[in-house]
Amino acid sequence: MHTFKIVSMELVIVTSEKTARQFIEVHVLLNKRYPEWIRPLNKDIEQVFDPEKNKAFRHGECVRWLLKNDKGELIGRIAAFVNKKYRTKGDTQPTGGVGFFDCINDQAAANLLFDTAQQWLKEKGMEAMDGPINFGERDRWWGLLVEGFHEPLYCMNYNPPYYKQLMENYGFQPFFNQYCYAMRVDQQLQPKFFERHAMLKKDPGYKARYIEKNKLEKYAEDFTIVYNKAWAGHDGGKDITKQQALNIFKQMSAVMDPKIVWFLYYNEEPIGCWLNLPELNQFFKHMNGKFGLLQKLHFFWLKITGQCTKFSGVVFGLVPEFQGKGADSFLIVEGAKVIQPKSHYKEYELQWIGDFNPKMMNVAESLGTSRSRQLVTYRYLFDRTKEFKRHPILEFNKK
């Protein structure tokens, strides 16, 4: 534990509607002076801490704190959580998480927040903490922004640059880097994509199609097949059920642009998918954290009038037996034929890829993208004498 004299700060546990509101307010207070910051929707933060909406509560628990100065002003916040399902391959210790960290540029204040979270995690039997991470899936609120301080993607952390020093001065070490990649939509693909596409085009078994909204059940089933072959088992991943996939697709349907959601088939068997969404923060930056009736009407007006000029990559993958055969190029070229001509989209950005996944980083870079931002997931071992190990490199199935 860090030792210092605390004379003018007060920690408050979030236990009421008022303190839950303040938990959101402190993030706004500490970030609103940064012009590129986009305020998250209140509901997206609230549901993380709602046992009825966040399935992580089935396997864990969490706690939140606010930090105030001697005048009662909000100067920081943090959440800590334990989840029995949270484990990285190679871990030799139980690891908890911290997230939703915000703090004034004061090391003593940051240390108090980290020490408090560490103590709670120790009491829960943890021996390390990763952060800033989400109490739930990795597709939201994961990692500290360290490069690329421009408008964040939807449900992506944005923080002032000095947070890096606050965390590293405390003793957090990079567990893995997270890279995003971006390109212009009208950018010509490299020749090798067309060469591989032409080669596979000779085989009539290959077909690529964009999604049809009136057939969500079919595409949810196709996604289930691809996901369970391509991802389940990696890094502790589990199979997804058709119902879970259908629920995801139904949630996506209100904002989905069918022509940027693609599936690849061989002899009508699903073998790959490339799922993209309009970049929702292009809409939500106008909402000031709210999403009531007026904001929903505003959202649909923005959508209908083509105000969103950016889309983001959410999922890209092939089943193992079709990897390394050019099928990825076939899917991308078929999609580009539809997406690029007369598109109102100007920019494309891939959601983060961990540096433990060099295979996917190579796919992103081969598109001709450039790195658009970097986030870092940090780890802090409570036993400071223990050897620190970074996230292991992913090993994919070979068939």
Side-chain angles (χ1 to χ4, degrees):
M1 296 286 283
H2 294 73
T3 58
F4 47 84
K5 191 176 181 182
I6 298 295
V7 293
S8 58
M9 290 183 276
E10 176 194 5
L11 279 163
V12 179
I13 297 180
V14 174
T15 56
S16 64
E17 284 188 21
K18 179 183 177 182
T19 48
R21 281 197 307 273
Q22 290 177 323
F23 189 79
I24 289 174
E25 286 169 16
V26 68
H27 176 73
V28 177
L29 287 169
L30 294 178
N31 287 273
K32 65 182 181 181
R33 71 178 183 274
Y34 297 93
E36 304 301 330
W37 169 73
I38 293 175
R39 178 174 178 170
L41 294 183
N42 295 348
K43 71 177 186 68
D44 287 334
I45 305 299
E46 290 163 354
Q47 71 182 15
V48 174
F49 303 101
D50 185 341
E52 293 183 7
K53 294 181 179 177
N54 186 354
K55 63 182 181 181
F57 278 96
R58 299 176 199 167
H59 312 290
E61 58 182 306
C62 69
V63 62
R64 289 174 281 171
W65 294 274
L66 299 166
L67 187 61
K68 296 182 178 182
N69 64 15
D70 56 352
K71 297 177 184 176
E73 297 167 333
L74 295 165
I75 60 170
R77 69 172 187 176
I78 199 167
F81 17 84
V82 292
N83 185 342
K84 292 176 185 175
K85 299 289 184 181
Y86 182 65
R87 180 171 288 122
T88 303
K89 187 177 180 181
D91 280 358
T92 57
Q93 77 286 320
T95 303
V98 293
F100 303 91
F101 167 73
D102 276 296
C103 190
I104 59 171
N105 193 2
D106 182 278
Q107 192 66 50
N111 288 353
L112 179 56
L113 287 166
F114 293 138
D115 279 346
T116 303
Q118 181 185 165
Q119 186 58 44
W120 184 84
L121 290 168
K122 280 182 176 177
E123 291 168 3
K124 300 296 177 182
M126 299 297 105
E127 296 175 17
M129 57 185 175
D130 289 352
I133 67 171
N134 183 32
F135 184 44
E137 301 298 329
R138 286 185 174 187
D139 62 342
R140 296 187 169 204
W141 318 123
W142 207 282
L144 188 83
L145 182 65
V146 297
E147 285 182 24
F149 290 88
H150 40 263
E151 290 187 349
L153 301 179
Y154 176 60
C155 289
M156 176 176 280
N157 285 332
Y158 184 96
N159 51 264
Y162 66 82
Y163 282 26
K164 180 176 188 284
Q165 279 66 47
L166 294 180
M167 294 195 71
E168 292 184 359
N169 288 346
Y170 183 81
F172 280 97
Q173 294 173 265
F175 186 45
F176 60 86
N177 294 309
Q178 305 160 232
Y179 297 112
C180 294
Y181 297 85
M183 64 185 294
R184 287 189 56 80
V185 170
D186 61 6
Q187 187 174 319
Q188 181 77 357
L189 293 172
Q190 294 183 27
K192 61 184 177 183
F193 280 88
F194 297 102
E195 292 164 8
R196 292 168 183 164
H197 173 270
M199 183 178 65
L200 267 62
K201 191 73 173 174
K202 296 173 185 174
D203 186 337
Y206 286 98
K207 292 281 187 287
R209 301 188 191 101
Y210 60 79
I211 201 169
E212 298 168 86
K213 278 192 173 183
N214 61 349
K215 297 181 180 177
L216 283 188
E217 195 159 333
K218 168 199 162 30
Y219 289 104
E221 184 171 2
D222 293 347
F223 177 76
T224 304
I225 292 168
V226 174
Y227 179 89
N228 289 341
K229 287 184 177 180
W231 286 285
H234 291 162
D235 207 22
K238 298 186 305 177
D239 280 9
I240 190 173
T241 66
K242 180 185 171 183
Q243 188 58 49
Q244 287 172 320
L246 184 57
N247 291 342
I248 292 168
F249 277 47
K250 284 179 176 177
Q251 290 170 6
M252 287 169 51
S253 64
V255 298
M256 184 187 289
D257 177 348
K259 292 186 179 180
I260 59 174
V261 180
W262 285 79
F263 281 83
L264 180 62
Y265 301 87
Y266 188 72
N267 293 335
E268 295 306 321
E269 285 293 315
I271 62 168
C273 62
W274 181 26
L275 310 187
N276 305 291
L277 285 174
E279 179 38 52
L280 297 180
N281 266 359
Q282 296 279 301
F283 304 115
F284 295 147
K285 65 183 178 182
H286 304 289
M287 309 299 180
N288 194 31
K290 301 178 177 63
F291 201 54
L293 178 59
L294 288 177
Q295 288 80 18
K296 287 176 182 175
L297 291 172
H298 190 190
F299 174 90
F300 285 111
W301 179 81
L302 291 168
K303 185 181 176 192
I304 290 166
T305 54
Q307 299 295 307
C308 178
T309 60
K310 182 174 184 175
F311 72 106
S312 54
V314 182
V315 172
F316 184 93
L318 299 168
V319 301
E321 54 265 43
F322 284 87
Q323 292 173 10
K325 296 182 178 180
D328 52 346
S329 296
F330 184 90
L331 177 55
I332 289 166
V333 171
E334 288 292 304
K337 285 182 189 176
V338 173
I339 296 168
Q340 286 184 319
K342 298 180 181 179
S343 176
H344 65 277
Y345 297 112
K346 306 300 180 190
E347 298 174 84
Y348 179 52
E349 186 166 4
L350 294 166
Q351 289 274 11
W352 68 263
I353 301 168
D355 63 3
F356 52 80
N357 190 351
K359 195 168 188 177
M360 195 62 216
M361 288 170 64
N362 287 337
V363 170
E365 289 167 359
S366 71
L367 276 170
T369 61
S370 56
R371 286 185 185 174
S372 51
R373 65 185 98 219
Q374 178 187 348
L375 298 97
V376 179
T377 295
Y378 288 96
R379 172 165 285 187
Y380 182 93
L381 299 173
F382 299 164
D383 180 353
R384 305 306 292 158
T385 65
K386 186 175 179 180
E387 181 189 1
F388 183 88
K389 294 181 181 178
R390 288 186 58 123
H391 192 297
I393 301 298
L394 273 188
E395 293 182 7
F396 287 81
N397 297 329
K398 294 181 180 178
K399 292 188 180 180

